[in-house]
């Protein structure tokens, strides 16, 4: 594929493709806050501070998805090394801190290029600099953008194109959006593409509840930070301390829901629009869907992906799937 956009110079040394447009943020916020059940899209959690909070969440003992997936990856990488012996590239969707790709880069000597896509440019650029130092033989080509859309990527023509979408971020989409993401990823990765994807499993709600209600209150800070970000970037006047973090497992929908609940009756100025809250009224900030392996493989099949192999973590707490475009 050819480069579709000019490279932007940044204070960091790696060239970064930047696809983001700020006005989407403003219109998404206003549209979400005008609905009867107010909502904000979870992708807006990840400004620099939000990305830092998320890294802290990943270090929590309660947040099992991170540790369980990470523990599974060396075995996954070993199996992939047998399968992908030629020159390959990895495209990571929603790359974050780039920790999970390392076992793959270590085990697969044929990886020539790594293209991480993330919405948080600063966080991504810093993580890429470090990764490039650790893996000098791999061309690291960061892209700042919304991976929910189809993107034309600055990729080299190599034998295998492997998408990587760890962390169960697919769970933050509704099943219809998840299917759309899988269809888009198939287009982005090409007709011979592969996708390695981590998906959280269904399990006891007790586990789930603890993972999203940690004792140190980091998830609560992560949740409220979206209001601080809106204040700073869009000139709104939220008082984040008047919103409580509330997360629960909705068994009927197989999802964790996160909300910010107003503790006061209040009217908030959101760049010129008055948004009224009654006491106890919530902003729905995130869903995190959980799938049984059968459910997920079926969903992937509806988007044109065949499951070649899957791996289950200890106690079936998490699953990783290798999908092949069919
Ligand atoms: C990024 N995503 C998969 C996380 C999740 O578990 O849904 C985000 C998160 N929200 C609260 N804790 C972590």
């Amino acid at each position: 594929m050819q480069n579709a956009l000019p490279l932007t110079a940044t204070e960091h040394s790696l060239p970064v493709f930047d696809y983001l447009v700020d006005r989407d943020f403003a219109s998404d916020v206003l549209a979400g806050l005008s609905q009867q059940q107010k909502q904000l899209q979870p992708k807006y959690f990840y400004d620099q501070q939000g990305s830092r909070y998320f890294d802290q969440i990943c270090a929590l003992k309660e947040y099992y998805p991170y540790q369980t997936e990470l523990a599974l990856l060396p075995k996954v990488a070993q199996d992939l090394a047998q399968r992908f012996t030629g020159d390959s590239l990895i495209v990571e969707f929603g790359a974050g801190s780039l920790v999970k790709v390392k076992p793959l880069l270590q085990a697969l000597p044929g990886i020539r290029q790594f293209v991480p896509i993330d919405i948080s440019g600063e966080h991504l650029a810093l993580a890429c600099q470090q990764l490039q130092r650790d893996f000098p033989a791999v061309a690291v080509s960061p892209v700042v953008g919304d991976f929910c859309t189809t993107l034309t990527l600055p990729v080299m023509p190599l034998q295998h194109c492997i998408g990587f979408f760890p962390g169960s971020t697919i769970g933050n989409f509704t099943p219809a959006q998840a299917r759309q993401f899988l269809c888009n990823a198939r287009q982005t990765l090409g007709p011979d593409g592969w996708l390695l994807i981590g998906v959280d499993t269904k399990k006891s709600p007790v586990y789930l509840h603890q993972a999203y209600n940690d004792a140190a209150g980091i998830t609560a800070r992560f949740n409220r930070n979206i209001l601080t970000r809106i204040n700073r970037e869009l000139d709104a006047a939220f008082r984040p301390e008047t919103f409580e973090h509330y997360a629960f497992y909705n068994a009927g929908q197989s999802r964790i829901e996160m909300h910010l609940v107003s503790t006061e009756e209040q009217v908030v100025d959101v760049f010129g629009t008055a948004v009224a809250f009654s006491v106890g009224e919530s902003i729905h900030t995130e869903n995190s869907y959980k799938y049984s392996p059968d459910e997920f493989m079926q969903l992937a099949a509806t988007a044109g992906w065949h499951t070649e192999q899957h791996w289950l973590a200890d106690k079936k707490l998490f699953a990783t799937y290798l999908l092949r475009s069919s």
Side-chain angles (χ1 to χ4, degrees):
M1 259 180 268
Q2 282 297 313
N3 288 352
L5 290 176
L7 295 170
T8 56
T10 69
E11 62 185 299
H12 311 291
S13 60
L14 288 168
V16 174
F17 277 74
D18 198 335
Y19 286 84
L20 288 180
V21 187
D22 275 354
R23 65 173 182 276
D24 290 351
F25 183 29
S27 58
D28 286 351
V29 166
L30 269 191
L33 294 178
S34 319
Q35 295 187 32
Q36 194 172 11
Q37 168 61 69
K38 294 180 173 65
Q39 50 186 273
L40 291 169
Q41 295 183 35
K43 67 181 178 185
Y44 294 121
F45 281 135
Y46 302 94
D47 63 352
Q48 208 181 8
Q49 182 59 49
S51 299
R52 274 198 217 113
Y53 281 138
F54 184 63
D55 285 348
Q56 290 174 22
I57 288 173
C58 291
L60 294 167
K61 65 176 183 341
E62 292 103 322
Y63 193 68
Y64 67 86
Y66 184 81
Q67 297 303 338
T68 46
E69 183 181 41
L70 203 58
L72 200 55
L73 281 173
K75 166 70 181 139
V76 172
Q78 247 178 30
D79 291 352
L80 295 188
Q82 314 254 313
R83 194 185 282 271
F84 299 109
T85 48
D87 286 350
S88 311
L89 75 106
I90 296 181
V91 174
E92 182 168 350
F93 298 94
S97 296
L98 307 181
V99 172
K100 289 178 186 160
V101 76
K102 285 183 188 168
L104 305 183
L105 296 178
Q106 275 152 1
L108 288 139
I111 303 295
R112 297 273 163 263
Q113 193 187 13
F114 174 54
V115 183
I117 309 169
D118 202 278
I119 200 162
S120 176
E122 287 169 78
H123 199 67
L124 180 66
L126 285 173
C128 282
Q129 279 181 311
Q130 185 56 47
L131 193 84
Q132 186 66 89
R133 275 196 288 272
D134 294 346
F135 296 90
V138 178
V140 178
S141 319
V143 172
V144 178
D146 182 353
F147 56 80
C148 297
T149 59
T150 44
L151 297 170
T152 304
L153 301 175
V155 298
M156 300 170 177
L158 295 166
Q159 195 178 342
H160 302 294
C161 182
I162 309 164
F164 184 40
F165 195 34
S168 201
T169 303
I170 195 160
N172 296 136
F173 304 146
T174 62
Q177 290 166 337
R179 185 177 173 278
Q180 189 59 55
F181 165 81
L182 291 166
C183 290
N184 290 348
R186 228 176 126 231
Q187 246 188 303
T188 301
L189 298 168
D192 302 319
W194 297 77
L195 180 62
L196 184 70
I197 182 166
V199 185
D200 200 5
T201 52
K202 286 183 169 165
K203 59 186 60 69
S204 156
V206 176
Y207 253 102
L208 292 169
H209 186 84
Q210 284 175 358
Y212 294 83
N213 292 281
D214 62 284
I218 308 290
T219 310
R221 272 182 240 165
F222 170 74
N223 198 5
R224 275 195 208 98
N225 179 61
I226 200 168
L227 301 182
T228 309
R229 180 182 185 184
I230 293 170
N231 284 348
R232 188 184 61 245
E233 292 184 26
L234 301 178
D235 200 18
F238 279 105
R239 286 176 298 135
E241 69 281 7
T242 63
F243 287 83
E244 247 169 31
H245 166 73
Y246 180 51
F248 63 95
Y249 186 60
N250 178 335
Q253 300 278 352
S254 308
R255 70 188 189 201
I256 285 280
E257 290 188 21
M258 279 206 329
H259 293 253
L260 286 165
V261 180
S262 177
T263 54
E264 293 179 5
E265 184 165 328
Q266 55 182 316
V267 177
V268 180
D269 180 358
V270 183
F271 41 101
T273 300
V275 181
F277 289 87
S278 52
V279 181
E281 185 177 358
S282 81
I283 309 174
H284 188 174
T285 50
E286 187 180 63
N287 287 318
S288 195
Y289 282 83
K290 312 300 171 187
Y291 293 92
S292 71
D294 282 348
E295 283 169 344
F296 183 73
M297 289 189 271
Q298 219 175 330
L299 176 71
T302 66
W305 290 102
H306 171 73
T307 304
E308 286 279 321
Q309 196 172 350
H310 75 284
W311 300 260
L312 284 171
D314 193 30
K315 299 189 201 143
K316 300 186 182 166
L317 286 180
F318 199 87
T320 297
Y321 302 83
L322 179 66
L323 310 179
R324 183 181 201 163
S325 191
S326 56

